[in-house]
Amino acid sequence: MAFVKLLTFFFLQLILVVLALDLATAQGLKLGFYQKRCPSAETIVNQTTARFISRAPSLAAPLLRMHFHDCFVRGCDGSVLLNSTKNNQAEKDAIPNQSLRGFQVIDAAKSAVEAKCPGVVSCADILALVARDAVSVIKGPFWPVPTGRRDGRTSILSDALNNLPSPFSNITQLKASFRSKGLSVKDLVVLSGNLKFVCKVLSRGHTIGISHCTSFTNRLYNFTGKGDTDPTLDPNYIAQLKKKCKPGDATTFVEMDPGSSKIFDTDYYSLVGKRRGLFQSDSALLADSATKTYVQQQATPNGATFSTDFAASMVKMGQIGVLTGNSGEIRKRCAFIN
């Protein structure tokens, strides 16, 4: 039995590699892009990430979320890393991004790589690798990351507001948002379990995250403007949340997946199936037959296909709108254009 499981694991990993290669070729990326010019780049990034996450496992969720926020706005070009200037407000300062954490991990990895190979490895690639490695450190899925991305020179606050899905989105809005990025309905429900869709200062890294009360208190106290609660949310769960979050509470945090906020698991789907997902966008997954079916399948013990599905969706997401060839630049420092 152990041999069969091992063989299945390697077979699934082979499928992921083939998928990554097919997508990467189409986008101008490739596995091992830096093998000749900076062969130790990925090892340096991995070791730097592991050092941070081993001390602060809770950083894994924000780093995963940061990668998502980068890719959904202008593509995976590192634009979320840029600081605002006196003449421009950058994505980083948009309300959905004000709670992003882990920039120090990206900067440390970039500095370490620059010391070895100046001007070779992009910040966009470092972010993609750090997100993967952070999840891997906390025993989550591993996925191949084709590299060769270049860094964008533009970062605009309004782009983040207009492109990042909201936790208040219904299923139609969520499907449209993902479709516009070349992602499927399956990618939507797979990634919903672990990525961070942000509005205000919320984090939605569900199986490994926490959220401010402000992101869902409307469901507890004033769902339709009549002082009512959200009928799609379990009444017993509402009572529990009201003990932690009072009206107007903008400081208290609540675990999105109680007991699993620092680990990577499939409990998120069990909670959504029991009508205990914190956000409206969680409940929305039960309003569509395809997404509801997937939620129910993954709510079974150990979520039979989740890890492989998540890895495959991350490969796809990591190649949205990438800059390659002579487009963009290789930043010297991730927070500033050259």
Side-chain angles (χ1 to χ4, degrees):
M1 181 63 70
F3 175 74
V4 173
K5 289 185 177 180
L6 184 62
L7 187 63
T8 301
F9 171 78
F10 281 115
F11 178 70
L12 292 174
Q13 289 298 309
L14 178 61
I15 292 176
L16 282 174
V17 170
V18 172
L19 172 64
L21 287 172
D22 286 346
L23 288 172
T25 299
Q27 299 294 333
L29 307 180
K30 71 176 184 178
L31 293 172
F33 180 84
Y34 298 109
Q35 191 57 46
K36 291 184 178 179
R37 297 185 62 198
C38 191
S40 60
E42 294 194 27
T43 298
I44 293 172
V45 172
N46 179 275
Q47 292 175 344
T48 304
T49 304
R51 188 171 68 250
F52 277 90
I53 303 302
S54 62
R55 296 197 304 258
S58 62
L59 276 178
L63 288 166
L64 179 61
R65 171 189 169 204
M66 191 186 297
H67 182 36
F68 169 78
H69 280 215
D70 184 40
C71 292
F72 257 61
V73 182
R74 307 188 71 88
C76 309
D77 66 347
S79 56
V80 74
L81 304 173
L82 288 171
N83 287 345
S84 293
T85 66
K86 63 179 181 180
N87 297 317
N88 177 68
Q89 284 189 293
E91 295 169 32
K92 187 185 289 188
D93 289 327
I95 287 176
N97 289 333
Q98 288 176 4
S99 58
L100 288 178
R101 296 187 298 121
F103 291 102
Q104 71 273 26
V105 183
I106 307 301
D107 291 338
K110 175 65 171 174
S111 295
V113 171
E114 283 292 303
K116 187 73 174 180
C117 314
V120 174
V121 182
S122 70
C123 296
D125 273 342
I126 287 175
L127 176 53
L129 290 166
V130 166
R132 187 270 310 278
D133 293 342
V135 170
S136 183
V137 170
I138 59 169
K139 311 304 180 186
F142 180 91
W143 61 93
V145 177
T147 45
R149 299 169 186 78
R150 289 173 65 83
D151 297 321
R153 297 189 180 97
T154 303
S155 183
I156 302 172
L157 183 148
S158 60
D159 286 345
L161 298 176
N162 295 332
N163 284 277
L164 291 172
S166 163
F168 308 108
S169 298
N170 60 39
I171 191 63
T172 300
Q173 294 167 328
L174 288 171
K175 288 165 71 174
S177 177
F178 274 66
R179 184 168 55 248
S180 72
K181 307 302 178 183
L183 299 175
S184 68
V185 173
K186 182 175 181 180
D187 295 321
L188 159 63
V189 67
V190 169
L191 296 176
S192 289
N194 289 281
L195 290 174
K196 310 272 182 134
F197 305 157
V198 179
C199 180
K200 195 81 175 166
V201 282
L202 80 89
S203 60
R204 181 196 178 174
H206 293 159
T207 67
I208 48 172
I210 56 177
S211 171
H212 282 89
C213 291
T214 50
S215 302
F216 56 84
T217 47
N218 68 308
R219 305 184 76 192
L220 309 181
Y221 297 105
N222 197 31
F223 188 61
T224 65
K226 300 178 181 179
D228 54 344
T229 60
D230 185 347
T232 66
L233 195 59
D234 174 45
N236 293 325
Y237 190 40
I238 289 176
Q240 291 178 28
L241 292 173
K242 282 186 173 181
K243 292 178 181 179
K244 298 180 180 180
C245 298
K246 303 302 180 183
D249 185 343
T251 58
T252 301
F253 286 98
V254 174
E255 288 188 5
M256 301 171 184
D257 181 355
S260 300
S261 64
K262 296 180 183 178
I263 62 176
F264 199 105
D265 56 32
T266 58
D267 284 353
Y268 166 73
Y269 296 103
S270 296
L271 292 173
V272 171
K274 295 175 182 176
R275 299 165 55 209
R276 290 189 164 215
L278 274 184
F279 309 120
Q280 288 172 241
S281 51
D282 295 329
S283 297
L285 297 180
L286 298 177
D288 177 87
S289 59
T291 55
K292 181 178 181 179
T293 297
Y294 189 87
V295 167
Q296 292 172 336
Q297 290 173 344
Q298 301 310 310
T300 57
N302 300 321
T305 65
F306 174 71
S307 290
T308 302
D309 293 341
F310 180 76
S313 292
M314 286 301 298
V315 170
K316 291 176 65 177
M317 192 199 78
Q319 302 189 50
I320 295 173
V322 295
L323 301 176
T324 58
N326 294 320
S327 299
E329 65 183 13
I330 303 297
R331 287 184 217 141
K332 297 176 182 177
R333 291 187 294 167
C334 292
F336 307 92
I337 60 174
N338 293 342

